[in-house]
Amino acid sequence: MTPDPISPIPGRRLGVLISGRGSNLQALIDAVADGRLDVTLSVVISNRDDAEGLERARRAGIEAICLSHRSWPSREAYDRALVAELQQRRVDLVCLAGFMRVLGAPLIDAFPNRILNIHPSLLPAFPGVDAQRQAFVHGVKVAGVTVHLVTSELDGGPIILQRVVPVLDTDTVETLSARILAEEHRAYPEAVKILLNESWTVDGRRFVRLGRVGEASAVQPRAGN
Ligand code: GRF
């Protein structure tokens, strides 16, 4: 049996969590601005006050706040504070965009299957930090991008979409990272669109697309399953 759809998500209010540069946040801002993505960017939260992404958000007229993890006594308490800020703004979907914190249970439980992350490798290869360098040093011939739902397992949730990026013999870590980043900027808005505009479900580890909301299922249930 194909499991029941988890989607659709009730609203289109996005919260974005960042820690730094914010180029993926910018990709979401740009996609909204040019009509490719129909969402409201409700709030951007950074755990660092020097994150360049905070400025990008403010320039786009989006509320941008810093919530430093150092101000809370434990990871749990910090995560509860994040949940409170997101819920106050009636956020439906949370996008991690270079947020350098492992999420704890309070956050994951408050937004079940409602938190996305983007990772610069073809997971499950090269989880964790410096994924592009890990891939380069390993000598893989294709690298890439993964957008996935966030669970308690680091970089381990169900995969929404992946994009492949070739590794060239002439590459350095820097040139490869730049090519991966350009693909990230296309992939993230696309993944958000899938979550909001399509019917989908999670079957074990698998994120399964069932078709557009309101349309007949694009995926025929398999007989005998
Ligand atoms: C990106 O490479 C993303 O995949 C990873 O962290 C980096 C964030 O970059 N999770 P930016 O802040 O979005 O520019």
Side-chain angles (χ1 to χ4, degrees):
M1 276 277 290
T2 307
D4 288 337
I6 294 174
S7 56
I9 292 171
R12 307 182 81 87
R13 294 174 64 81
L14 244 67
V16 185
L17 305 188
I18 61 166
S19 295
R21 181 176 57 181
S23 71
N24 278 289
L25 163 68
Q26 188 68 54
L28 293 171
I29 292 172
D30 293 346
V32 173
D34 65 23
R36 275 178 292 133
L37 189 60
D38 177 20
V39 300
T40 302
L41 291 166
S42 303
V43 66
V44 171
I45 305 177
S46 171
N47 66 317
R48 298 180 53 113
D49 61 4
D50 59 354
E52 197 188 327
L54 286 173
E55 262 320 296
R56 293 181 191 264
R58 290 182 187 126
R59 270 202 302 275
I62 301 162
E63 184 186 10
I65 57 179
C66 172
L67 218 62
S68 170
H69 53 280
R70 298 215 174 86
S71 312
W72 276 266
S74 65
R75 181 189 304 282
E76 277 243 305
Y78 180 65
D79 280 10
R80 279 198 301 271
L82 284 174
V83 169
E85 297 293 344
L86 293 165
Q87 286 180 341
Q88 233 172 62
R89 290 160 181 89
R90 294 178 289 111
V91 162
D92 300 293
L93 198 64
V94 180
C95 289
L96 308 185
F99 187 58
M100 301 299 283
R101 303 267 313 160
V102 174
L103 302 195
L107 201 45
I108 292 169
D109 294 347
F111 294 93
N113 289 316
R114 298 285 185 269
I115 308 178
L116 291 76
N117 182 42
I118 186 156
H119 185 78
S121 80
L122 294 173
L123 290 170
F126 313 122
V129 294
D130 233 352
Q132 305 94 324
R133 180 179 299 278
Q134 291 184 55
F136 182 81
V137 169
H138 192 92
V140 295
K141 299 302 182 199
V142 289
V145 177
T146 303
V147 184
H148 64 92
L149 293 174
V150 173
T151 61
S152 54
E153 190 189 339
L154 178 71
D155 296 327
I159 293 170
I160 302 165
L161 67 77
Q162 293 188 302
R163 291 286 176 264
V164 173
V165 173
V167 182
L168 309 179
D169 290 330
T170 49
D171 265 333
T172 60
V173 175
E174 290 71 27
T175 58
L176 175 61
S177 301
R179 200 173 319 108
I180 292 173
L181 190 63
E183 203 54 49
E184 291 186 44
H185 297 162
R186 285 187 281 271
Y188 216 0
E190 217 176 294
V192 173
K193 245 161 83 175
I194 290 172
L195 278 192
L196 291 174
N197 296 353
E198 295 191 14
S199 182
W200 50 269
T201 192
V202 174
D203 184 5
R205 287 206 40 86
R206 298 177 63 236
F207 177 92
V208 182
R209 296 168 72 174
L210 302 170
R212 285 185 65 81
V213 172
E215 282 177 6
S217 173
V219 177
Q220 299 303 320
R222 288 154 298 170
N225 272 345

